[in-house]
Amino acid sequence: MWAPTDIEAAFADVTEHWSPKVIGQVNDQLLKVAKLKGEFVWHDHAGEDELFWIVKGRLRIEFEDGVAEIGEGQFLTVPKGVRHNPVAEEECWVLLIEPASTKHTGEEMTERTRSLEEQMR
């Protein structure tokens, strides 16, 4: 009942890039692990902020008015309504913290879009 989550083991269960897996919940916020590689898709989340915490590697997040580079041990919060496109040149491990209502690719539907049901471990 009170067992801690092993983050390395959680990432070991992720077998597909850009396919987050829910590993926990704090109130209405979901904690998700994902392995990223390559370019994702331009999108936004109209009503939710999204936090990217880099566990391993580096992530570039492109914005319409600039770029943010996030390294291992760093995090960045993308405010609701801000269009962004995550890009990982090499495999990157990320912990996402976002409301349970957050759609994976916002209103953009692509072959990479995952439903909440698909994200459950």
Side-chain angles (χ1 to χ4, degrees), residues 43 45 48-52 76-80 84 96-99 102-104:
H43 67 286
H45 306 284
E48 302 92 6
D49 297 335
E50 183 177 30
L51 185 141
F52 292 81
L76 177 80
T77 302
V78 176
K80 61 185 167 191
H84 58 287
L96 300 163
I97 303 173
E98 57 194 20
T102 304
K103 294 179 182 177
H104 186 219

Side-chain angles (χ1 to χ4, degrees), residues 53-84:
W53 188 323
I54 307 307
V55 175
K56 182 177 175 182
R58 298 191 59 77
L59 182 66
R60 181 175 77 242
I61 301 183
E62 300 172 340
F63 298 97
E64 291 178 328
D65 61 352
V67 173
E69 296 278 346
I70 317 164
E72 207 165 290
Q74 297 180 316
F75 71 88
L76 177 80
T77 302
V78 176
K80 61 185 167 191
V82 174
R83 285 186 56 77
H84 58 287

Side-chain angles (χ1 to χ4, degrees), residues 6 8-9 51 64 79 87 90 95 105-106 111:
D6 183 308
E8 294 273 336
L51 185 141
E64 291 178 328
V87 180
E90 301 293 328
L95 173 67
T105 54
E111 69 280 350

